[in-house]
Amino acid sequence: MRLVLFDIDGTLLREGIAPKLAFARALRETYDTAAPVSGFRFAGMTDPQCVMEIMRMAGLPDEVILRGRDECLTRYVEHLAAEMREHDGAKLFPGVRDLLERLNERPDALVGLLTGNTRGGASLKLRRWSLEPYFRFGAFGDDHEDRPTLAKIALQRAQELLGRPMGGDAATVVGDTPRDVACARAIGARAVVVATGQVPREELLAAGPDALLDSFADREAALGAILP
Ligand SMILES: [Mg+2]
């Protein structure tokens, strides 16, 4: 049995401007200060980590940021729903649905999420493309702010679902940034990266993934990389 743990943004889909606008609104309302969101690189970071980093850049002390963080993330998801209705620019990457379909047919694969999105944010993004049913379990940004810890939580949830212990070497983490590779390594998992996100190929290669794909358009190549 192989666990296949998917990142969302840059890996399965792209959301356009909506999440940034929603984040900026939530930060402003929660912390009452201008949030330097526009130049911020969200790629590979968990949502609670983004709140922390952006508000540190705005000069707020950690204890103030932490006190408002849950409230801020709740507001973010509310605003995200509204911003997604108002803005286009979202895209499902080539081959994603077909790949998820095929993986779900495999009796030797269990497909889950390993994402920095909060549960609510992930659900909104996946629902737009009716992708939710492909994922049996997941670890989310509201479980922990640290991505490598999320990998451990995902592994633990897979074990609970299967009712037996499982090593990280039975997992493949699929993402689009060096942070996804690092979190795969944290549990001894295979790391597959896809260059559909914002990170250039050379930077992805430098992170030392087990496989690098240009996209999931070549289904057999993708399946071969994910299920070695
Ligand atoms: Mg990503």
Side-chain angles (χ1 to χ4, degrees):
M1 174 66 70
R2 179 148 288 265
L3 304 178
V4 188
L5 301 169
F6 279 96
D7 167 58
I8 296 180
D9 299 276
T11 301
L12 303 175
L13 54 84
R14 147 178 106 207
E15 257 310 325
I17 193 74
K20 264 195 179 175
L21 295 174
F23 234 97
R25 278 176 74 180
L27 289 167
R28 211 164 42 234
E29 288 174 10
T30 308
Y31 297 107
D32 197 24
T33 178
V37 166
S38 54
F40 189 75
R41 277 185 68 169
F42 286 79
M45 309 236 319
T46 64
D47 285 353
Q49 221 168 19
C50 293
V51 172
M52 207 70 205
E53 298 286 325
I54 295 170
M55 285 296 98
R56 274 178 182 158
M57 280 159 61
L60 264 61
D62 284 7
E63 64 269 23
V64 174
I65 305 173
L66 285 170
R67 212 179 303 136
R69 194 162 69 170
D70 286 352
E71 181 195 331
C72 179
L73 289 171
T74 303
R75 281 191 170 139
Y76 160 69
V77 174
E78 287 166 14
H79 292 322
L80 180 61
E83 298 289 357
M84 282 171 67
R85 282 192 296 272
E86 278 173 41
H87 299 277
D88 292 331
K91 179 182 160 73
L92 180 67
F93 293 134
V96 165
R97 189 181 304 280
D98 187 39
L99 174 65
L100 292 173
E101 195 84 47
R102 292 295 299 267
L103 285 170
N104 269 264
E105 286 166 7
R106 298 271 302 232
D108 58 342
L110 182 65
V111 182
L113 291 166
L114 172 45
T115 173
N117 280 279
T118 61
R119 231 167 255 275
S123 176
L124 283 172
K125 292 175 183 179
L126 295 176
R127 239 186 287 155
R128 190 202 273 276
W129 307 102
S130 308
L131 295 181
E132 270 190 308
Y134 292 117
F135 301 98
R136 299 272 311 276
F137 69 104
F140 302 86
D142 32 11
D143 291 317
H144 206 280
E145 73 170 298
D146 173 51
R147 203 172 189 103
T149 305
L150 288 185
K152 290 172 192 157
I153 292 171
L155 187 60
Q156 189 187 322
R157 290 197 174 138
Q159 292 179 14
E160 282 161 17
L161 193 62
L162 293 167
R164 60 183 163 86
M166 232 180 161
D169 57 346
T172 301
V173 172
V174 187
D176 70 306
T177 72
R179 288 195 165 95
D180 297 286
V181 177
C183 94
R185 299 304 176 225
I187 57 166
R190 183 173 172 78
V192 174
V193 286
V194 59
T196 41
Q198 292 170 338
V199 181
R201 277 184 68 99
E202 311 73 65
E203 220 175 293
L204 291 174
L205 274 178
D210 296 291
L212 167 64
L213 302 164
D214 287 321
S215 77
F216 298 132
D218 182 344
R219 180 220 285 159
E220 292 313 315
L223 284 171
I226 292 168
L227 307 173

